[in-house]
Amino acid sequence: MNKEIVIGANSYNKLKLPPMTLVLLEFTSNDWWLRDIKRDYRFVEAIFKEAGHPTQMRYLRPGKETEDVWTARRQCHFSAMHARGAKGPEKCFGTDICVPLPKLTEMIDFTEEKFQEANKACYLCAHISDGNYHLIIPYADKAEFELLQSIEEKMIKKAIALGGTITGEHGIGCCKVCYVVQEHGQAHIDVQEAIKKALDTDNVMNPGCFYPSQVAQYHPSHL
C-alpha cells in the first residue's frame, strides 16, 4: 500500500496507521511458541534494514493492531472512493500491471512519476510477491477518466518493455484488447483466435472480448 492509499484508509476506516508506504507480511506457523515465525521475522527484518528502506518495522501480534492493518488493505477500494472528500463515493478507475520482480521497483517508480506529472494522486495497492499491483483512482468526469486512460496506456507500454504483462489478474476484457498483439505478437494471437473459432463456432463464449477480431465485430467492446 502506498502512502496515498494509507492516508485514505485512515480517513475512511478511522484508523491511525503511519502515513507512509506499508509493506505487510503475514507469517504462519504450527509451532505453539511461534519460534519459527520469530526466526523468519528476524531474517526479513535484517534484509529490510540492510536495504535501508524501512522508516520503522513492527511485529504485530494477533489482535486489534493486526486487524487494523489488514482492514486498511481489504478496504483499499472503498478508501479510494472516499479519498478526495467528495459528498458521496466517487467512481474509481481500476487497472493492474504485472512485471518480473526484478523490474517491480522501476515499474512502480515510473507509475508514480506519471501520476505526479499529471498532478493526480496515485492510489496503489499490491500483492507484490508476484509482481502485480493495482491502481484504484477516483474520478469525477469524462476528462479525468480520459486522463487516467492515457496514464494507463503509458504504464502498459512500459510493462511490456520490461517483459511484463498488461494485466496480472483483472483480465483483458474489452478495454485492453488493443494491447494484446503488442504483448504477444500477431502470430500468437492468430493461433488463439483460430482455436476459439474452432471450439466456439456460434461465438457464444465472451463475444466482443479479448481478441481483436471480436472488437471488430462488436463495437460496444470499445467502451
Side-chain angles (χ1 to χ4, degrees):
M1 298 168 61
N2 71 345
K3 177 181 177 180
E4 286 76 12
I5 201 70
V6 172
I7 292 172
N10 280 341
S11 175
Y12 177 68
N13 295 290
K14 305 296 187 292
L15 302 175
K16 296 181 180 179
L17 299 176
M20 62 180 67
T21 297
L22 297 184
V23 176
L24 313 179
L25 301 172
E26 187 171 31
F27 300 89
T28 59
S29 174
N30 292 320
D31 179 4
W32 176 261
W33 300 104
L34 304 181
R35 286 167 293 196
D36 50 353
I37 282 183
K38 293 173 183 176
R39 182 180 63 249
D40 290 344
Y41 175 80
R42 288 193 295 269
F43 179 75
V44 171
E45 182 181 38
I47 293 174
F48 272 84
K49 287 183 176 179
E50 182 179 348
H53 290 308
T55 303
Q56 55 180 280
M57 189 166 179
R58 297 178 61 190
Y59 178 89
L60 303 179
R61 298 180 181 279
K64 185 178 185 307
E65 283 188 319
T66 301
E67 275 305 303
D68 283 351
V69 168
W70 284 112
T71 294
R73 177 61 183 87
R74 297 183 191 112
Q75 299 287 344
C76 277
H77 191 92
F78 298 103
S79 299
M81 290 170 67
H82 296 271
R84 301 199 298 184
K87 290 183 179 180
E90 291 190 280
K91 295 178 181 179
C92 283
F93 182 96
T95 189
D96 79 321
I97 289 293
C98 190
V99 296
L101 277 176
K103 302 294 184 180
L104 183 60
T105 300
E106 181 179 351
M107 187 67 223
I108 290 179
D109 285 345
F110 176 86
T111 300
E112 292 188 324
E113 285 172 10
K114 295 306 167 189
F115 274 87
Q116 188 174 17
E117 289 170 7
N119 197 30
K120 297 285 293 181
C122 177
Y123 300 94
L124 189 152
C125 276
H127 30 91
I128 57 173
S129 61
D130 58 4
N132 185 210
Y133 65 92
H134 303 257
L135 298 180
I136 313 165
I137 314 298
Y139 69 93
D141 52 37
K142 183 179 179 181
E144 275 194 297
F145 183 81
E146 290 177 348
L147 173 62
L148 295 173
Q149 283 184 311
S150 70
I151 297 174
E152 180 190 47
E153 182 176 7
K154 294 173 184 175
M155 291 169 52
I156 287 171
K157 290 180 178 179
K158 179 70 172 179
I160 293 173
L162 293 177
T165 181
I166 61 181
T167 176
E169 65 179 7
H170 283 197
I172 301 299
C174 301
C175 297
K176 291 187 175 181
V177 178
C178 53
Y179 303 108
V180 294
V181 173
Q182 293 181 43
E183 179 178 348
H184 299 290
Q186 189 64 56
H188 184 104
I189 298 302
D190 287 346
V191 170
Q192 287 200 30
E193 291 202 76
I195 293 171
K196 173 175 169 57
K197 188 173 182 179
L199 297 176
D200 183 22
T201 55
D202 294 325
N203 198 31
V204 296
M205 296 190 294
N206 266 352
C209 292
F210 195 88
Y211 297 110
S213 66
Q214 293 290 314
V215 174
Q217 293 180 57
Y218 295 89
H219 297 296
S221 300
H222 292 286
L223 298 176

